[in-house]
Amino acid sequence: MYDFLINIFGNQIVAYFVAAAIPLFLFILPYALFAVLAERKVSAHMQDRWGPMRVGYHGVLQTVADILKLIQKENIRATLTDKVLFNLAPYLVFVGSFAAFAAIPFSSWFIGSSIDIGLFYFIAISSFVVAGILMGGWASNNKYSLLGAMRSVSQIISYEIPTAIVILTMVMITGSLNLQTITEQQTAYFWNWNILGGATFGIGKFLLIPLMLGAFLIIYISTLAEVNRTPFDIPEAESELVSGFHTEYSGMKFAMFFLAEYANMLAVSFLIVVLFFGGYHSPFGYIGNSIGVEWLVPIEQFFWFASKGIFFVIVQMWLRWTLPRLRVDQLMTVCWKYLIPYSVAILLLVGLITLI
Amino acid sequence: MGLYDIIFYLFAIITIASAVVVVNSKNIVHAAFSMLLTFFGVSGIYVLLGADFLAVVQIMVYVGGILILLLFGVMLTNKIVSVDIRSGSIQVIPAIIALGAFAAILFSIMTSTNWKSESFEIPTTTSVELGNLLMSQYVLIFELLAILLLVAMIGAASIARRDKE
């Protein structure tokens, strides 16, 4: 992949830039467009409605039409907002959430950047999103925006701790921070996935299975909170705060916050897929290998990776339209009194098991 | 001047320009946010020097932790904008003398030091070696730092605790 791009552009740095940008344009942006539609359709069907039906067959082009509309809209900026920070905030959030995809392996043939600190980079780059949210909320000069931003940031920072501890647990098992290496360890069949104890067969594998299930639940709950989704959506809480930190934004700047939210959902789903569900590996082996067509394998891997990721995004939507919102004190109780102690216990137990 | 140099100067300009804003800005929130750009520029330079782990730590610790804490502190104070930040210039002549002396020392160190320049190989990965060193050669310092952090954490918790009547 890299050799191919280096041959085209004749320069290593340019080739790496292009490689890191390809998934964004080929997959993430189209995904975000249709995820917005999927959310509306999922919510509609859960509430026994039709949802958008007008644009295209059963409304499939609704989001495209919405984005076209938003591009044409006037950029309204209230007089007393802080001009520079107000304009900068959407870009920071957008860049922060899309930059995370650079370290994610989409198939064995393609990974944006196979850095050895991929997992660490993934956690670190999301701090730009936090800064962007805070920036937008403060610059709007609106008390609802500021409150929403404060809630959002304190929530993201709190829930980063259980996420980081679970990631640390996975690093202890796999011995690598490189997302591609972690994927390669969970080879071809589903009983080798980390959620079922990893690829090494022995007594440790069976001891790990219950711990892995717990770790998966913890990281799923805390990443759900990190992307500000219901039941953890008190930063946006329409019934209390209008719509949180992006109340004052309109037009394309609002759309950037919106698309970044959906990109974030996919990014954390991909992270969970790589850590627990075998990354791009197929659960049942590859058609390409059995009929002897080598080039089919990466395409199949991409298919499996995308489907697993999108499956978890759909589960996030399902939860959003099923569960009520938590109160602020409940939110903090869940994080500090349940998730963090349990994740630390899992970390210690996994450390003991890896010694066997 | 290759692409590498262009990227280096880009990050250098980002770092220095935003650092100037941090010092000169009248608005304390603007200062805090331009510090974000300073940290970003520094971590970019770390990446160019092949210290990828350090770069990510820089972003994680400074942008994700310290900066957010700072912003929280700033935003929860009353009257952010009307705070009178003194960033005028007083004591110009002593400052120039001190600055000149400091610059001269830095320049003489820069020219007289025998810089290590034999290897042009940028290491592809640093995290494995860093981990091995931390767990073998520097394990005492590592553990002491951990204890220090623990003490700081317990201290912060006990300060923040509500007094029992």
Side-chain angles (χ1 to χ4, degrees), chain A residues 170 173 185-216 272-278 283-284:
Chain A
M170 299 317 291
I173 295 173
Q185 284 173 357
Q186 311 171 47
T187 46
Y189 296 98
F190 65 90
W191 53 82
N192 289 330
W193 293 355
N194 278 336
I195 188 95
L196 295 175
T200 39
F201 192 81
I203 184 102
K205 181 176 164 81
F206 294 101
L207 289 175
L208 275 177
I209 291 174
L211 295 176
M212 285 298 101
L213 284 172
F216 161 68
I272 291 168
V273 167
V274 170
L275 284 180
F276 290 99
F277 291 92
F284 320 109

Side-chain angles (χ1 to χ4, degrees), chain A residues 159 162-163 217-227 232 339:
Chain A
Y159 278 87
T163 315
L217 279 179
I218 289 171
I219 199 174
Y220 196 73
I221 293 170
S222 46
T223 50
L224 204 61
E226 273 191 59
V227 294
F232 305 101
L339 293 184

Side-chain angles (χ1 to χ4, degrees), chain A residues 287-323:
Chain A
I287 304 170
N289 276 345
S290 27
I291 61 172
V293 189
E294 284 296 317
W295 55 265
L296 203 61
V297 175
I299 297 171
E300 276 182 71
Q301 286 174 333
F302 176 74
F303 165 75
W304 284 111
F305 193 58
S307 344
K308 288 179 203 170
I310 288 169
F311 170 74
F312 282 108
V313 172
I314 300 276
V315 175
Q316 286 180 345
M317 292 174 182
W318 173 22
L319 289 176
R320 171 169 179 178
W321 298 100
T322 314
L323 298 175

Side-chain angles (χ1 to χ4, degrees), chain A residues 262-290:
Chain A
Y262 282 89
N264 255 334
M265 283 163 65
L266 186 66
V268 296
S269 301
F270 275 164
L271 180 70
I272 291 168
V273 167
V274 170
L275 284 180
F276 290 99
F277 291 92
Y280 50 69
H281 282 301
S282 151
F284 320 109
Y286 297 106
I287 304 170
N289 276 345
S290 27

